[in-house]
Amino acid sequence: MTVYGALDIGGTKIAGALVDDSGTLVVRAQRPTPAQKSADELMAAVTSVIDELAAHPMWDELTCIGIASAGPVDTTAGTVSPVNIPAWRRFPLTEQVAAHPRMPPELQPVLIGDAVAMTAAEHWLGAARGFENALCMVVSTGVGGGLVLGNRIHTGRTGNAGHIGHITVDLKGSTCLCGAPGCVEGFASGTAIAAHAQAAGWSSPPGVAPTAAAVAEAARAGDPRALGAYERAAQALAAAIAATAALVELDLVVIGGGVAQAGNTLFVPLRRRVADYAVLDFTRGLPIVPALLALDAGLIGAAAIASSQLGATALVTGPRP
């Protein structure tokens, strides 16, 4: 059995896995992301995940390792500068992972943005399988995206193509952490949804953290402040999706990430709002579907991207059903 390694680094969790050539996670490890801590403490969490994977007997069969990271990333330089992880700016993540004492010296880690990795996974095994042109989005602590164009993952020069969370949708909006005004992420991330609901007067039940998931639960119960937060998020996402469809012509949009777990609380207003914005003939009727690979898509996609460096290009091009 061929064994691929994968890391998925986001603002909430750092996950790792050993993945076989069918896309099955054979071993999985996870740590919380110490997002507000120092660069060294962040890397220590990554190292801890690798330590756990390396303790498994299958580690000795490792053929490659992919790293999916929140972005921006620079795949050429091997560095990451995640918007939601302030201590990492041009951090040499690829070099640091390669320096792990159990990393085979002949393996060079392959870096990619986390949303591009999710896109690769969904195109290989998930909801975008068989579609030639698709936008796949991760709506979670941040908002990211990736593109399938002409049946291939489109990464761009530095690996950041499809960075839809930092499209401006409100010219007078508040300044995003990235420095631009009115970004999608400022409306539709889990953090933004929770903050907007709280600003409107919503509060989570005693003992329950005020997260987007808690807001979704309140929305399902009919709380107008919670519903308003998801409506606002859906409108921002819809504007960005419609703009992307007008630019590149899409066959499908796939939405994954923690916020997408809200189900119809997000998808019903999102589909309605996309119909409001996508009015040109070639953008109408665009299917918007949930991701099939849930929260492990980043790991599966990182393995797929890394394996493509070995010549297993079918994992990235996405075999047709």
Side-chain angles (χ1 to χ4, degrees):
M1 178 174 63
T2 306
V3 178
Y4 309 125
L7 296 171
D8 184 11
I9 300 168
T12 303
K13 64 177 173 61
I14 296 169
L18 299 179
V19 183
D20 69 17
D21 50 12
S22 70
T24 300
L25 273 62
V26 182
V27 184
R28 193 183 191 284
Q30 184 172 313
R31 304 287 185 274
T33 302
Q36 302 306 314
K37 301 293 186 179
S38 69
D40 288 344
E41 289 172 290
L42 283 155
M43 191 60 214
V46 177
T47 299
S48 177
V49 169
I50 299 173
D51 288 343
E52 185 173 339
L53 298 178
H56 193 277
M58 288 182 61
W59 180 266
D60 294 332
E61 302 175 42
L62 194 68
T63 59
C64 62
I65 186 163
I67 307 170
S69 175
V73 302
D74 187 329
T75 56
T76 301
T79 60
V80 299
S81 304
V83 171
N84 294 312
I85 303 179
W88 276 359
R89 290 295 175 267
R90 299 184 180 87
F91 183 78
L93 182 58
T94 300
E95 176 185 306
Q96 291 288 313
V97 170
H100 189 281
R102 289 296 312 279
M103 191 64 60
E106 70 275 10
L107 295 190
Q108 179 62 32
V110 177
L111 176 65
I112 199 69
D114 58 352
V116 176
M118 174 265 195
T119 302
E122 290 292 331
H123 194 224
W124 175 23
L125 297 172
R129 181 180 171 92
F131 287 86
E132 293 200 358
N133 302 286
L135 167 67
C136 297
M137 297 180 65
V138 177
V139 186
S140 186
T141 308
V143 176
L147 291 164
V148 179
L149 299 177
N151 207 40
R152 298 192 65 84
I153 306 301
H154 179 70
T155 62
R157 177 175 51 85
T158 62
N160 291 292
H163 223 87
I164 194 169
H166 296 286
I167 288 178
T168 293
V169 290
D170 182 354
L171 297 180
K172 297 181 179 180
S174 58
T175 302
C176 176
L177 288 172
C178 76
C183 287
V184 173
E185 189 167 293
F187 294 84
S189 71
T191 304
I193 289 169
H196 184 75
Q198 287 177 293
W202 171 83
S203 59
S204 58
V208 176
T211 62
V215 178
E217 188 66 30
R220 283 189 285 270
D223 188 307
R225 298 159 297 187
L227 287 165
Y230 270 89
E231 183 73 29
R232 178 175 179 264
Q235 185 175 6
L237 291 170
I241 289 168
T244 304
L247 284 172
V248 298
E249 292 198 61
L250 298 170
D251 305 320
L252 180 77
V253 176
V254 178
I255 311 285
V259 172
Q261 306 306 305
N264 284 338
T265 301
L266 174 68
F267 282 91
V268 169
L270 176 57
R271 290 174 179 133
R272 172 168 39 82
R273 287 291 190 171
V274 167
D276 292 339
Y277 288 110
V279 296
L280 296 172
D281 286 346
F282 66 92
T283 65
R284 289 179 186 159
L286 184 61
I288 300 172
V289 302
L292 292 183
L293 301 178
L295 302 182
D296 286 331
L299 291 168
I300 296 169
I305 295 286
S307 71
S308 72
Q309 305 298 307
L310 303 176
T313 53
L315 302 192
V316 178
T317 59
R320 298 178 186 277

